[in-house]
Amino acid sequence: MTPTLSADHRELIADLSGIVSDYPYADPESTLAVLAGDAGEALGRDATSPEGSRERTGYTILLHATCWYVSSRIFSKSLFASYVQALEGLRAQSDRTACACPAGAHPADLDSEYEVEAGVSMLTEAGRAAFAEDYGLDEDELAAFDCGAFLADLADEALGRLREAHQELFGGIDVSPLDGKFLRDDDHIDIVAMQEALSRSWEDNTGPVALWSARRWLTGQLRDEERIGVFLCLWMGIDQSYGGLPPSYARDLAAALDTIDLDVTCEHPQHPWSTADSTVRSRHRAVVHLYAPDDHPDTPVPAELSARELWECPVQYAQLAREALKDLEGWRTMRGGDDEDWED
């Protein structure tokens, strides 16, 4: 009789494969939370039993296969904690010194989808038999997946990735090196340099520029003529961070936006930004012209809307702040996590 996986395990492979290929159709946060929870429960069983050994192998492989998604796509402290706790427990059960495998015997260069199939299959004898048959593995090749050294390497790699990502997503971000790029010798802010940094999208500058702008705004160390430029750099950094920025950025961005009074009115029929907001390029042209008109004479803002009074109108600030706050709320929805993950 041909060995087969259970229906539940076939569904698990499908769900996890969608996640690691970055095209999830099951909810990633809840699916991975259940996976980490199941791995944690397995730690309570006898690790020396056949079932315990199979689960140690299967869950170590699965948590390794999916840790990149937890590290970069879901901003949830509780999910990080569940993964780290499970991986630390599995790592403690993996004895690196017991390895008797010949050189080159460990599975290597595994892509995430293959790891998902391997990990789920390793959880049961029927799954192992089906996996070995599908991939033409002999007994020794299948046994290499159970090697303590192989599993320890996977757990260590996953834990290292998770710990580094946790700091990047939830810790403090140092943007002070940008002082040297955005502050002139007289301590004036170089808005044009900030705009040039934003325009170099291939350098992933949007988040750091937005965060630097937010922190400068919050310090109040701004000349009157610099306010709208810094705020527009903050706004553009948020708007151009299409995949969303993590809580390590969003906290200060939200704090800066919260300083804007949203309950304001004016009698202006139109504001300058409404004429510049069609494309990223037109926004850039509008801002650099505002601060260096001789060097950048081209602007989408017509002369009748170029007065500083219009640029500095509280209603324009309020409109921009509302849009940016909406973006931040969208990041929370898209990236998950609890409210406190975004606010601590």
Side-chain angles (χ1 to χ4, degrees):
M1 183 176 178
T2 302
T4 59
L5 283 165
S6 68
D8 286 347
H9 278 184
R10 289 197 300 272
E11 182 179 2
L12 180 59
I13 289 174
D15 289 347
L16 295 179
S17 293
I19 290 171
V20 299
S21 63
D22 220 5
Y23 289 97
Y25 48 88
D27 178 67
E29 186 171 2
S30 61
T31 300
L32 297 179
V34 169
L35 175 65
D38 289 346
E41 287 182 12
L43 292 172
R45 292 187 275 274
D46 182 4
T48 63
S49 68
E51 179 187 17
S53 177
R54 289 194 300 267
E55 289 183 331
R56 179 195 64 184
T57 298
Y59 284 123
T60 300
I61 294 171
L62 288 172
L63 295 181
H64 178 269
T66 55
C67 75
W68 77 266
Y69 199 95
V70 175
S71 300
S72 60
R73 296 290 189 268
I74 303 174
F75 303 156
S76 167
K77 288 183 179 180
S78 63
L79 185 57
F80 267 83
S82 296
Y83 258 66
V84 168
Q85 183 177 14
L87 280 162
E88 287 178 340
L90 292 165
R91 175 64 180 86
Q93 294 178 356
S94 300
D95 183 3
R96 188 188 299 278
T97 63
C99 176
C101 301
H106 292 166
D109 301 323
L110 308 179
D111 67 62
S112 295
E113 289 187 69
Y114 178 85
E115 271 196 282
V116 162
E117 186 177 358
V120 174
S121 299
M122 295 297 144
L123 294 172
T124 63
E125 283 299 333
R128 286 167 174 255
F131 186 76
E133 183 173 296
D134 288 344
Y135 288 95
L137 303 180
D138 62 29
E139 186 175 335
D140 289 339
E141 289 172 320
L142 189 63
F145 283 94
D146 296 315
C147 175
F150 168 66
L151 296 174
D153 285 344
L154 292 186
D156 286 342
E157 183 178 341
L159 284 167
R161 185 168 193 167
L162 287 164
R163 287 167 178 152
E164 181 179 353
H166 191 278
Q167 174 61 29
E168 293 174 356
L169 297 183
F170 304 108
I173 303 297
D174 181 15
V175 291
S176 61
L178 294 179
D179 291 354
K181 298 181 179 181
F182 298 158
L183 294 178
R184 300 193 183 102
D185 292 341
D186 59 4
D187 207 36
H188 285 208
I189 298 173
D190 190 340
I191 304 295
V192 172
M194 296 173 69
Q195 282 292 310
E196 294 299 336
L198 280 171
S199 69
R200 295 191 297 273
S201 58
W202 60 90
E203 295 181 1
D204 294 326
N205 281 329
T206 54
V209 172
L211 185 58
W212 191 92
S213 302
R215 289 180 178 169
R216 192 73 181 184
W217 181 272
L218 289 167
T219 66
Q221 297 176 3
L222 297 168
R223 292 170 174 82
D224 288 345
E225 66 272 17
E226 295 169 341
R227 282 175 49 83
I228 187 60
V230 169
F231 195 79
L232 287 173
C233 288
L234 164 62
W235 185 91
M236 291 171 69
I238 292 172
D239 183 74
Q240 292 168 217
S241 295
Y242 305 113
L245 293 170
S248 53
Y249 287 80
R251 289 190 297 266
D252 285 345
L253 302 183
L257 295 170
D258 285 342
T259 66
I260 302 300
D261 185 357
L262 303 181
D263 187 20
V264 290
T265 60
C266 73
E267 297 181 357
H268 303 137
Q270 193 175 9
H271 296 98
W273 200 242
S274 65
T275 66
D277 195 23
S278 58
T279 67
V280 171
R281 181 60 186 164
S282 68
R283 298 167 188 165
H284 171 81
R285 287 164 46 218
V287 178
V288 296
H289 174 80
L290 182 63
Y291 283 90
D294 293 339
D295 295 332
H296 303 277
D298 186 25
T299 178
V301 180
E304 63 269 21
L305 291 177
S306 62
R308 274 284 177 168
E309 174 192 357
L310 293 174
W311 278 107
E312 294 289 346
C313 178
V315 170
Q316 178 167 260
Y317 277 101
Q319 291 169 341
L320 291 167
R322 286 192 196 94
E323 292 176 15
L325 287 167
K326 185 177 179 180
D327 283 341
L328 265 62
E329 188 60 34
W331 297 350
R332 290 192 182 204
T333 302
M334 175 172 55
R335 295 303 187 186
D338 298 323
D339 287 346
E340 54 266 30
D341 296 339
W342 290 86
E343 296 166 1
D344 286 350

